[in-house]
Amino acid sequence: MKIVTVIGNRPQFVKAAAVSRLLRERHDEVLVHTGQHHDDELSTIFFEELSVPRPDLELHIAGGTNTDQTGRMLADIGPLLARERPDVVLVYGDTNSTLAGGLAAAQATIPVVHIEAGMRSFDRTMPEELNRVLTDHLSDVLLCPSQTAVDNLRREGVAGRVELVGDVMVDVAMLFQPRAKADLGPLRDAGVAPGEFVLATSHRAANVDDPVRLRRLVDLLLAVGEPLVLPLHPRTGARLDAAGWLDELQAAEHVSLTPPLGYMAFTSLLTNARAVLTDSGGVQKEAYLAAAPCVTMRDTTEWVETVEAGWNVLVDLDADAALSALHHTPPSERPQLYGDGRAGERVVAAIG
Ligand code: UDP
């Protein structure tokens, strides 16, 4: 079969690392990179470190509003599919690249396979939630990371075939976390010791685009009374810089600011952190796998099982709640929530 896979941003490069090489043992894959994340720190390094095959086609579509970006992607992917004539289009997760790839394929009556289907935060103000719901409803094969995701899709009555395969990001984390944990170089670079720091990430539009919320984020980070490593997403860096608040974080003694890190350096910090403070989707479940208690700076999550298991606490941008959650002791049990690390194999089997 000929498969066009559409990817475009950091977590999708991680997800493709679990699938692309396996897929190519049985099928011809044309990997399309939309360009949503295009620089070395958010893109190139992931292809190199995780041995993701180089993109066959790059669309260089970045920036603009969500609608503008999705529109430009649609305009390019439509003719691309007409040229390539694949049997299947594969998309991952919940980004503009996911929706554009899925919709362009569905309009061309090419079957769509959606990996990480069925996730819901039930917050329709999140652009990611709109992308998830719409992509699920136009997909022919919906491959879910958890039973909760399967149940969400059944409740919504999606038209496509639903399968539980596990989470492809777990495959990658299980493979790389032990090696990354043993490398303390990134901790030395950040000036922190194993088990004695909090690793923080923030880039959700709802937290960084609105100056009032961004200020609450800064105050929360400043209030953390222990070493904190903050690899700064370019979007967050730009908003902080524009607001004039980057200097405050730089000057704070407990804060170690770094550029966005490659997967191995980031995973070294994650697996050696005392706790994780994030608004990322992927980082919540990677923290769970690494047995790092997670505090999530959102009021909803699509990774509900981590909260139910007692390893993740939702605090939105409430600094007091975050400080107390950072000292919450997680339970001794940490059940396997998102599969056994072989989701990639099941994805390939499901495609046929
Ligand atoms: N990540 C990374 N370097 C960083 C921050 C995150 O390699 O500096 C990885 C992280 O391990 C995870 C993915 O990027 O695999 C999560 O991406 P992000 O938080 O951008 O997206 P989300 O999951 O929130 O959509």
Side-chain angles (χ1 to χ4, degrees):
M1 261 197 288
K2 179 170 180 179
I3 298 169
V4 163
T5 299
V6 180
I7 54 177
N9 81 348
R10 178 165 71 183
Q12 290 171 330
F13 310 142
V14 178
K15 291 164 197 174
V19 177
S20 269
R21 267 172 305 118
L22 289 178
L23 197 65
R24 284 167 189 229
E25 289 172 10
R26 300 230 314 238
H27 303 292
D28 292 329
E29 184 188 43
V30 177
L31 195 59
V32 178
H33 184 342
T34 60
Q36 203 178 328
H37 282 166
H38 51 91
D39 49 19
D40 288 350
E41 288 164 335
L42 293 185
S43 178
T44 319
I45 188 164
F46 290 86
F47 286 87
E48 286 164 3
E49 284 189 340
L50 303 177
S51 305
V52 180
R54 302 298 306 166
D56 300 287
L57 296 166
E58 298 197 44
L59 305 182
H60 305 289
I61 299 170
T65 62
N66 286 318
T67 45
D68 168 62
Q69 194 182 82
T70 309
R72 284 184 289 142
M73 288 177 185
L74 277 169
D76 276 17
I77 297 172
L80 182 156
L81 294 179
R83 267 193 325 272
E84 295 290 333
R85 304 167 61 88
D87 301 296
V88 166
V89 168
L90 191 64
V91 293
Y92 294 91
D94 55 20
T95 72
N96 296 336
S97 306
T98 315
L99 178 60
L103 184 54
Q107 294 282 18
T109 65
I110 301 166
V112 178
V113 176
H114 185 204
I115 297 179
E116 210 182 89
M119 302 312 295
R120 296 289 182 269
S121 67
F122 299 101
D123 176 0
R124 291 278 176 112
T125 66
M126 284 180 79
E128 295 90 346
E129 183 77 354
L130 297 177
N131 290 337
R132 288 181 197 122
V133 171
L134 294 169
T135 305
D136 282 338
H137 282 265
L138 56 77
S139 291
D140 298 271
V141 180
L142 298 103
L143 303 179
C144 298
S146 68
Q147 185 58 43
T148 309
V150 172
D151 296 343
N152 289 338
L153 294 175
R154 298 256 186 262
R155 216 174 18 248
E156 289 177 21
V158 290
R161 187 181 101 224
V162 176
E163 251 182 73
L164 176 61
V165 293
D167 191 320
V168 292
M169 252 181 160
V170 169
D171 296 15
V172 183
M174 282 175 123
L175 197 62
F176 289 101
Q177 281 191 355
R179 199 192 313 164
K181 190 180 169 86
D183 175 13
L184 298 183
L187 280 75
R188 274 193 296 276
D189 293 345
V192 291
E196 294 180 13
F197 67 97
V198 173
L199 175 65
T201 77
S202 176
H203 69 284
R204 288 266 93 73
N207 283 349
V208 305
D209 284 0
D210 167 11
V212 175
R213 302 247 329 149
L214 183 64
R215 184 65 235 179
R216 287 180 66 194
L217 172 70
V218 172
D219 289 338
L220 191 161
L221 296 171
L222 291 175
V224 173
E226 60 189 306
L228 179 111
V229 183
L230 178 64
L232 211 50
H233 192 283
R235 170 188 205 127
T236 313
R239 301 292 187 274
L240 287 170
D241 204 19
W245 298 331
L246 196 52
D247 296 350
E248 267 182 76
L249 282 171
Q250 259 154 357
E253 255 193 38
H254 70 290
V255 179
S256 169
L257 280 180
T258 77
L261 298 171
Y263 187 80
M264 293 309 284
F266 184 79
T267 304
S268 158
L269 290 165
L270 178 98
T271 48
N272 284 293
R274 186 191 72 70
V276 169
L277 181 61
T278 191
D279 60 18
S280 159
V283 174
Q284 290 174 60
K285 72 191 156 185
E286 288 172 346
Y288 181 81
L289 287 167
C294 186
V295 176
T296 297
M297 297 182 286
R298 291 171 47 190
D299 59 0
T300 58
T301 181
E302 52 288 355
W303 303 101
V304 284
E305 297 86 352
T306 58
V307 176
E308 287 158 8
W311 281 83
N312 186 8
V313 183
L314 304 180
V315 298
D316 197 12
L317 291 176
D318 181 332
D320 291 339
L323 293 188
S324 92
L326 278 172
H327 290 97
H328 158 85
T329 309
S332 51
E333 289 199 3
R334 203 165 43 83
Q336 194 174 72
L337 297 179
Y338 300 116
D340 55 3
R342 302 179 70 176
E345 290 170 31
R346 288 189 205 97
V347 165
V348 176
I351 291 171

